[in-house]
Amino acid sequence: MRGPAARQLALVALAGALVSTGAAAPPTTTTTPPAKVPVAVGYGGAVASVDADASAAGIAVLRSGGNAVDAAIATAAALGVTEPYSAGIGGGGYFVYYDARSHRVHTIDGRETAPATATETLFQENGLPIPFAEGQTSGLGVGVPGTPATWKSALDAWGTRPLGKLLKPAEKLARDGFTVDSTFRAQTELNQDRFKDFPATSKLFLPGGALPAVGSTFKNPDLAATYAELGRKGTGALYRGPIAEDIVRAVRTPPVDPAATRKVRAGDLTTGDLRAYATKRQDPTRVGYRGLDVYSMAPSSSGGTTVGEALNILERTDLSKLSEAQYLHRFIEASRISFADRGRWVGDPAAVPVPTRELLSQRFADSRACLIAPDKALTSPLAPGDPRNPAPCATTGRAAPTTYEGENTTHLTAADRWGNVVSYTLTIESTGGSAITVPGRGFLLNNELTDFSFAPAAPGVPDPNLPGPGKRPRSSMAPTIVLDDGHPVLAVGSPGGATIITTVLQTLIGHLDRGLPLVDAIAAPRASQRNQTTTELEPGLWNSPVRAELEAIGQGFRQNPEIGAATGVQRLPDGRWLAAAETSRRGGGSAMVVHPQGRP
């Protein structure tokens, strides 16, 4: 533990210098939107998200005596207002919680589920996969939402405040409005062609047929009313009764403009599917790394197993002593290998056997790590290994490419004065989800079922991620909490579809191995290799001399202007919390602490 401990001690000086830039929640009576600050240091608890209004909602809960779970739910509800294209009560997610009293990590699988009638051919017609766009913008792609049930599960287990009280800040934000920024306008413009084909969506997000102007106030009174109803009746109101009936109607008879030419397929969701939905409390994944314990989500998410396998592969190499090119090479190859194994073995464990323990074994990682050579890149698609029977440098079966996964989601992290920590990733899948707003309810429905493989990734290769009745589609969400001897060191997570895994992995090793302060590890230019022929690079690496060094050993690249939008919290040795968010991606994130200066 000398390395991580030394890095934390070094951060004390940095944190002291940053205290003056730390952000606290503004007074609740202010009408001025809070400023975005990417790093904050102080006592009393911390929240980091992509949005300042949402972070402020969480901090207000902490200030009033709520705990990290309470704050996370208040923040998530506010993100459903200000980040409606990324998350909301029409979607799902994964909730990871560290309990300071027991020193244990718990998780909730709040992933959406397929209808009971779903089969492997859900997205096929005449034996062929339908176009992705026809699955994306449809009732066919909508799964049973898991977010409201996740909130109930978390509050019942660990919360201290009633849901109605935690929804009040988001309800007020929806009713009174928030200030439109360039990111919200750009995301609306990205979806303009889809949104205009659904009258309820167009009325809400394209008022008068126009894009919302930057600096204008965006209001969502229907969502405010929906939050108020959930606050009064509980989250069960979304799964039975009028709201559930409205959801089912929108899925089975998509409310399309009669003048639209878009082919919008109906789904087969029923009120019975909603009534049957349940979250899953399950053990987290865990791997040891540099003397630390790294916890994340087990399947149905592939985040914990894939990040964990990559960390196990990398642990045998001292990444702190490598050149920048060799460090990135090792990171890229570990990502490539772990994605190859993910594609073959990970799906919903309720429907297919998933060898989670074996995927996370050091023995299996060592058998895969020997594929990495310092002077030559591997070729994708790489064939998987067999975690049940590891053999050095061996592959088994045929290679299969990584299937498409939408890149939009949101992530928040929260911590409280008692030392409890939450890392929570939530989503409606694509930016804008299905594009279907439930009429009169103010929220978009997910298109999460498009995370299933529409057909086997390669002919003759077993695919654990085909649709099935009540099945959860495989996810890449990787909300992560790192402990040192049972105590929290940091928590991180990110949106980004399959790039979530590489973003979380790169942030972890950037901080733990390369010694970057957490905010710098988050801001560092990213690479993402997902067992594909080329690796995605952000401009900071694309325009760097290191690209030529990597190309000289066979790495191939393509550009991606922006990968992920991470947030994190870190416990400093003196007891203060450091909250960190993006400095520029998605317009920058929002890090806040309860008391930026001194003890409360």
Side-chain angles (χ1 to χ4, degrees):
M1 274 309 303
R2 292 178 183 172
R7 281 187 288 275
Q8 283 216 338
L9 288 170
L11 277 173
V12 173
L14 169 70
L18 291 170
V19 166
S20 62
T21 68
T28 56
T29 56
T30 186
T31 57
T32 304
K36 281 189 174 183
V37 177
V39 63
V41 182
Y43 293 99
V47 176
S49 80
V50 74
D51 180 74
D53 286 308
S55 295
I59 289 290
V61 168
L62 294 176
R63 183 173 289 139
S64 69
N67 68 10
V69 171
D70 304 323
I73 291 166
T75 303
L79 287 169
V81 179
T82 60
E83 286 270 292
Y85 309 145
S86 302
I89 55 175
Y94 297 93
F95 193 100
V96 179
Y97 169 64
Y98 167 77
D99 180 7
R101 181 174 296 179
S102 65
H103 305 296
R104 291 187 59 196
V105 176
H106 307 267
T107 74
I108 299 171
D109 180 331
R111 184 67 157 160
E112 299 88 338
T113 55
T117 56
T119 68
E120 289 189 355
T121 60
L122 178 68
F123 291 106
Q124 295 180 26
E125 187 172 83
N126 299 321
L128 297 173
I130 65 173
F132 181 83
E134 291 185 15
Q136 177 189 41
T137 308
S138 73
L140 193 65
V142 179
V144 179
T147 290
T150 300
W151 296 350
K152 175 175 170 50
S153 295
L155 286 177
D156 286 351
W158 313 296
T160 67
R161 297 290 187 269
L163 177 67
K165 187 171 184 179
L166 298 176
L167 293 181
K168 285 296 181 184
E171 181 187 335
K172 184 178 188 301
L173 193 58
R175 183 178 61 250
D176 296 347
F178 64 92
T179 302
V180 172
D181 62 13
S182 58
T183 299
F184 185 83
R185 178 184 166 88
Q187 290 180 339
T188 309
E189 185 174 17
L190 178 69
N191 282 285
Q192 190 170 8
D193 286 345
R194 295 202 300 150
F195 285 1
K196 68 180 176 56
D197 288 343
F198 299 91
T201 306
S202 180
K203 180 182 177 182
L204 178 58
F205 297 114
L206 299 168
L211 293 169
V214 173
S216 65
T217 299
F218 185 92
K219 299 180 180 182
N220 191 341
D222 286 346
L223 182 57
T226 301
Y227 276 163
E229 186 169 349
L230 294 180
R232 291 191 308 271
K233 299 178 180 179
T235 58
L238 188 133
Y239 296 95
R240 54 187 58 83
I243 300 177
E245 292 166 2
D246 289 346
I247 291 172
V248 169
R249 188 178 303 112
V251 170
R252 298 180 71 88
T253 310
V256 186
D257 187 329
T261 59
R262 182 184 303 275
K263 183 175 183 178
V264 180
R265 296 170 183 264
D268 199 29
L269 203 68
T270 67
T271 54
D273 292 319
L274 269 73
R275 286 195 305 272
Y277 183 83
T279 60
K280 291 185 176 182
R281 287 275 304 276
Q282 61 190 44
D283 291 335
T285 59
R286 186 193 72 81
V287 296
Y289 188 72
R290 314 296 189 204
L292 302 170
D293 293 302
V294 182
Y295 293 87
S296 190
M297 278 305 309
S300 59
S301 181
S302 65
T305 55
T306 312
V307 171
E309 181 186 345
L311 288 173
N312 284 340
I313 290 171
L314 292 169
E315 188 164 26
R316 301 300 195 199
T317 302
D318 187 347
L319 300 179
S320 68
K321 295 181 178 178
L322 296 180
S323 67
E324 184 73 6
Q326 274 298 310
Y327 157 69
L328 288 169
H329 173 62
R330 297 278 178 163
F331 159 68
I332 288 168
E333 298 299 70
S335 300
R336 189 194 312 271
I337 293 167
S338 59
F339 263 92
D341 298 329
R342 170 194 107 129
R344 170 61 183 86
W345 300 105
V346 182
D348 181 353
V352 295
V354 181
T356 300
R357 181 177 60 84
E358 292 87 349
L359 283 167
L360 292 171
S361 72
Q362 190 63 53
R363 180 181 172 219
F364 178 57
D366 291 346
S367 77
R368 301 292 277 158
C370 66
L371 293 169
I372 301 175
D375 57 351
K376 184 178 181 181
L378 292 165
T379 301
S380 287
L382 181 72
D386 188 346
R388 304 162 305 175
N389 186 29
C393 301
T395 58
T396 182
R398 293 171 53 192
T402 298
T403 54
Y404 176 78
E405 193 173 328
E407 293 192 0
N408 211 33
T409 296
T410 196
H411 179 82
L412 65 94
T413 43
D416 62 34
R417 60 186 176 183
W418 299 284
N420 303 301
V421 180
V422 171
S423 186
Y424 182 21
T425 313
L426 57 162
T427 184
I428 59 171
E429 214 278 326
S430 296
T431 304
S434 65
I436 300 172
T437 297
V438 181
R441 298 299 182 178
F443 63 90
L444 286 158
L445 290 172
N446 69 84
N447 62 311
E448 211 65 63
L449 301 188
T450 62
D451 273 354
F452 284 124
S453 301
F454 283 27
V461 178
D463 190 329
N465 192 42
L466 293 169
K471 190 175 179 182
R472 286 162 155 82
R474 181 174 62 209
S475 171
S476 295
M477 287 181 267
T480 299
I481 295 177
V482 181
L483 305 184
D484 176 8
D485 194 26
H487 299 280
V489 174
L490 73 151
V492 295
S494 177
T499 70
I500 292 171
I501 290 167
T502 54
T503 294
V504 169
L505 176 63
Q506 190 174 358
T507 302
L508 287 171
I509 62 177
H511 177 64
L512 297 175
D513 290 291
R514 304 293 280 185
L516 295 175
L518 183 57
V519 69
D520 293 342
I522 288 171
R526 292 183 182 135
S528 183
Q529 167 54 241
R530 306 185 299 279
N531 198 23
Q532 297 176 325
T533 54
T534 54
T535 298
E536 292 181 359
L537 291 185
E538 286 188 327
L541 288 174
W542 180 266
N543 298 320
S544 165
V546 75
R547 176 164 67 97
E549 292 183 58
L550 291 167
E551 288 173 336
I553 59 174
Q555 296 286 1
F557 300 105
R558 66 189 188 277
Q559 278 205 73
N560 185 333
E562 187 174 278
I563 299 173
T567 72
V569 296
Q570 180 183 5
R571 186 72 154 179
L572 298 176
D574 62 2
R576 286 182 294 172
W577 288 107
L578 184 150
E582 296 286 359
T583 57
S584 60
R585 295 182 185 95
R586 284 207 198 175
S590 172
M592 294 184 181
V593 293
V594 175
H595 299 284
Q597 296 184 7
R599 290 189 178 274

